[in-house]
Amino acid sequence: MTETAKGVAAIILSCMIWGLSGLFYKLLAGLPVLDVLAHRTIWGAVFFLLVLSAQGRVAVPFRALRLGRTLRVLAAASLLIGFNWMLFVWAIKSDQALEASLGYYIFPLVVVLFGLMFFGERLGRGETLAVLLAALAVIVLTAGLGVAPWISLGIALSFGAYGAVKKRLDMGPVVSVTAESLLLVAPALAWLAWSAAQSGAVMGGSLPLALTLMLAGPMTATPLILFSYGARRIDLASVGVLSYLNPSLQFAVAVVIFAEPFTGWHMIAFAMIWAALALYSLARWRYRPVAPRPSIRS
């Protein structure tokens, strides 16, 4: 298998894990959202440290946390990704996985908008139209349902802001997410101690639940490692197109497996979002600059 084929396979597998992760978190729907988030944070940090230890790099995230400016950026990133994780788990628990999938569809276009607003990036005609079409889709859905899709917007904006903050970090994704997780471990442990004192239950109160909670670590870390591996081996335009597999699977799980309501307003809004993404992808594919692909470190 060529390096490019390995990269494509890794990106597809990572997006499949992300896209189907709603099925995993549905198993934990009986637990408080903050309990699940705390366990995801702790076991994710443990898994990341094991991976870095195997690579002989376990000290790298700890060194990063001793640098003043880097620490501030990592702290902001940790709050944003923690909020994003919490929204996703809450969406699954409250039977709003469809809104979560919409958020991850909107996310790439939010990144484009943030690039325009904060990094002086310029948009072509097709990209501008794609962003406007996505915004119109949110307005249509809000008008049709009588309430804004707050979960979708929260997921898209928090993940977009997270990506914007991470542009200021000169370190690979695995190392940076490990450092971010480490910053959240102490509050996560404090929350679990308080929660256990209130409920009298530790680790979900049963062995099956305890093992499931521990699996949240590999579920968080594995797709990111695969995505980092794949992104180093294929061009970024292909990464972007393949990444739409994640919200597409989330959408399928929400509608087909969770049987969440898919109204006419949802149909119109999703059709507009899909059209916006197709237009954006076509614009990027046709007019992307011919330049050496940057190295993306893990």
Side-chain angles (χ1 to χ4, degrees):
M1 183 181 290
T2 65
E3 288 299 302
T4 298
K6 290 178 182 178
V8 170
I11 294 292
I12 290 175
L13 184 55
S14 68
C15 289
M16 287 181 66
I17 296 172
W18 277 325
L20 298 174
S21 63
L23 296 171
F24 173 80
Y25 288 107
K26 200 70 167 179
L27 299 174
L28 302 170
L31 298 176
V33 170
L34 290 180
D35 282 23
V36 176
L37 177 63
H39 280 286
R40 181 177 184 178
T41 299
I42 293 165
W43 298 113
V46 169
F47 192 85
F48 278 125
L49 288 173
L50 289 174
V51 171
L52 290 177
S53 179
Q55 297 174 343
R57 300 192 298 157
V58 72
V60 176
F62 293 98
R63 287 201 299 267
L65 292 174
R66 292 199 295 267
L67 302 174
R69 179 188 174 279
T70 300
L71 175 59
R72 289 191 294 272
V73 175
L74 286 169
S78 68
L79 292 175
L80 287 166
I81 197 61
F83 180 71
N84 182 270
W85 288 350
M86 182 185 71
L87 272 184
F88 180 75
V89 173
W90 183 49
I92 300 301
K93 177 182 174 66
S94 60
D95 299 324
Q96 298 183 79
L98 188 61
E99 273 210 40
S101 73
L102 177 61
Y104 286 110
Y105 273 124
I106 296 173
F107 155 69
L109 302 174
V110 169
V111 171
V112 173
L113 185 60
F114 280 6
L116 176 67
M117 294 170 59
F118 303 121
F119 298 101
E121 298 177 4
R122 296 184 178 182
L123 302 184
R125 183 179 301 174
E127 294 162 327
T128 301
L129 185 57
V131 172
L132 292 175
L133 188 57
L136 182 59
V138 173
I139 294 171
V140 167
L141 190 60
T142 300
L145 299 181
V147 61
W150 295 116
I151 292 177
S152 304
L153 293 173
I155 284 175
L157 291 172
S158 61
F159 209 32
Y162 174 73
V165 168
K166 292 291 283 283
K167 283 178 70 72
R168 303 180 185 278
L169 282 176
D170 184 24
M171 64 178 68
V174 175
V175 171
S176 62
V177 175
T178 304
E180 292 155 23
S181 299
L182 289 171
L183 287 173
L184 295 174
V185 164
L189 287 170
W191 171 263
L192 288 178
W194 182 86
S195 180
Q198 297 299 309
S199 65
V202 179
M203 292 291 291
S206 69
L207 180 59
L209 267 180
L211 294 175
T212 305
L213 286 167
M214 292 175 70
L215 281 176
M219 279 290 298
T220 298
T222 302
L224 179 66
I225 293 170
L226 286 169
F227 192 88
S228 174
Y229 174 91
R232 294 198 306 268
R233 288 162 173 79
I234 63 177
D235 62 273
L236 295 181
S238 298
V239 171
V241 172
L242 289 172
S243 294
Y244 295 140
L245 177 61
N246 171 20
S248 297
L249 285 174
Q250 288 186 25
F251 172 84
V253 167
V255 175
V256 178
I257 300 178
F258 296 161
E260 293 186 8
F262 187 59
T263 67
W265 291 109
H266 284 102
M267 188 177 299
I268 294 170
F270 270 85
M272 294 172 71
I273 292 291
W274 290 329
L277 290 174
L279 181 61
Y280 168 72
S281 299
L282 179 61
R284 294 294 293 173
W285 188 269
R286 288 180 61 186
Y287 300 112
R288 70 189 190 279
V290 179
R293 178 169 50 85
S295 173
I296 300 179
R297 297 174 296 157
S298 63

